[in-house]
Amino acid sequence: MDGVWRALSGARRRLRWFAARAAVLCAITAIQGCDSQRAQGWVISTTTWSDSGIPGHDVTSTTRGELLGAKLRVTSSGVGAAFGNYIILDSAASTITTVYPKGKLVLTSSWSKPARGASPLITMEAHMDSGYTVEDLGRGEPILGHTTHRYSETLGYELRVAAGSDTCRRHRRIVTELWVTPDTRVPDIEAATKRLSSLPTPMLGSDVTRILAEKRGEKIQGVLLKRTSTIHDSAGHGDPVVTHARWEVTEVKHALIDPADFRVPAGYKSEDIRKLAPRVDSSMRSAAALEAAKQVFRRMCGQGSA
């Protein structure tokens, strides 16, 4: 009887072992089946920090990008990020899609040109000083496994801000150290986000990002992985505000990306800003919008308005 019991017990143990192994194999198969729907892409994360020494102006934010073919999905956290919103840039279709999960809303605009309509309520123009300099600092330390070259950049420009008939001028002098990799296989996340930030909106239009990028591109080639800056910003005759800033890539790697991450979620309302431009432009010129623009202008110019 004991022998029969031991045989039955051994059979049960073997059945449990085979069942467990089958479960593991099924799980692996399921994962592989899921991964087979994915495609090879890139994941890039960045961190931005700035501090002007003014209480409340010590700011940190992070950005995570998923790049698959011609599409880049950008999600931010920290200052300026809200409710899990994210942006999809499609360079092939020249579109920018902004997804608002909280409101179940999707807005599509143009990557290559602004929507039709009147000029923005506030405009900013950069007028470069003549003393732009770049110093080659030689080889930099590797960043995330990529070789780098270091540069020091010094530039100054006058920023001219206008809101209707109100104008002001402020001067900025920026000293920057840059770590650039010659490995052009690395996605240039900074170039993509700068392109996005340079597109005008009904509230604000600025050529500052484009002017500075063009000036730097004349002497510095490669993909930027890290930047530290000291910015002297003066308006009128007051003492300049000194801001220290740092931007750096904290993650860059090949990864399997799910194409579904770039699709418009089901059940969301979709609006094309390119078609709504006249209506949006009209609403932006309401009394409330004009007053908001004046408040933004006063914050930007302080006592330097003229």
Side-chain angles (χ1 to χ4, degrees), residues 195-254:
R195 176 70 179 275
L196 177 63
S197 65
S198 67
L199 291 175
T201 67
M203 175 64 78
L204 177 66
S206 171
D207 69 357
V208 176
T209 299
R210 178 181 61 81
I211 294 296
L212 298 186
E214 289 176 353
K215 195 70 176 177
R216 176 177 297 156
E218 295 174 1
K219 295 189 176 183
I220 300 176
Q221 300 294 324
V223 178
L224 184 64
L225 295 182
K226 182 179 178 180
R227 176 183 64 237
T228 61
S229 303
T230 300
I231 306 162
H232 297 258
D233 193 341
S234 60
H237 302 288
D239 293 333
V241 174
V242 179
T243 299
H244 299 281
R246 181 179 67 252
W247 177 94
E248 61 184 322
V249 175
T250 55
E251 178 187 33
V252 56
K253 64 181 182 180
H254 282 290

Side-chain angles (χ1 to χ4, degrees), residues 31-254:
I31 293 171
Q32 290 175 339
C34 179
D35 283 346
S36 68
Q37 304 301 316
R38 298 172 177 246
Q40 190 68 242
W42 289 86
V43 171
I44 316 103
S45 299
T46 66
T47 298
T48 303
W49 167 86
S50 66
D51 185 8
S52 65
I54 300 174
H57 284 210
D58 184 343
V59 176
T60 300
S61 61
T62 61
T63 297
R64 186 178 190 272
E66 291 183 340
L67 179 65
L68 184 61
K71 296 182 180 181
L72 173 66
R73 170 173 166 156
V74 180
T75 306
S76 299
S77 61
V79 174
F83 308 119
N85 301 344
Y86 59 91
I87 296 172
I88 298 172
L89 311 177
D90 188 336
S91 59
S94 295
T95 57
I96 304 171
T97 302
T98 306
V99 181
Y100 302 89
K102 186 176 178 64
K104 293 190 177 299
L105 175 66
V106 176
L107 298 180
T108 302
S109 57
S110 175
W111 166 279
S112 58
K113 58 184 179 181
R116 297 186 305 274
S119 59
L121 297 179
I122 302 173
T123 59
M124 296 178 9
E125 297 179 352
H127 295 261
M128 297 292 297
D129 296 349
S130 59
Y132 176 79
T133 61
V134 172
E135 181 183 357
D136 189 331
L137 301 179
R139 181 180 297 178
E141 69 272 19
I143 296 179
L144 301 174
H146 298 278
T147 60
T148 66
H149 203 87
R150 289 172 58 225
Y151 298 91
S152 176
E153 174 191 68
T154 302
L155 62 88
Y157 63 94
E158 182 181 72
L159 181 64
R160 300 177 185 177
V161 186
S165 59
D166 295 325
T167 63
C168 77
R169 300 184 180 189
R170 57 194 311 158
H171 190 269
R172 286 177 178 169
R173 181 177 180 273
I174 307 175
V175 179
T176 301
E177 188 171 339
L178 307 104
W179 286 255
V180 178
T181 179
D183 187 355
T184 55
R185 295 172 300 175
V186 176
D188 196 340
I189 186 71
E190 193 216 23
T193 53
K194 277 191 171 184
R195 176 70 179 275
L196 177 63
S197 65
S198 67
L199 291 175
T201 67
M203 175 64 78
L204 177 66
S206 171
D207 69 357
V208 176
T209 299
R210 178 181 61 81
I211 294 296
L212 298 186
E214 289 176 353
K215 195 70 176 177
R216 176 177 297 156
E218 295 174 1
K219 295 189 176 183
I220 300 176
Q221 300 294 324
V223 178
L224 184 64
L225 295 182
K226 182 179 178 180
R227 176 183 64 237
T228 61
S229 303
T230 300
I231 306 162
H232 297 258
D233 193 341
S234 60
H237 302 288
D239 293 333
V241 174
V242 179
T243 299
H244 299 281
R246 181 179 67 252
W247 177 94
E248 61 184 322
V249 175
T250 55
E251 178 187 33
V252 56
K253 64 181 182 180
H254 282 290

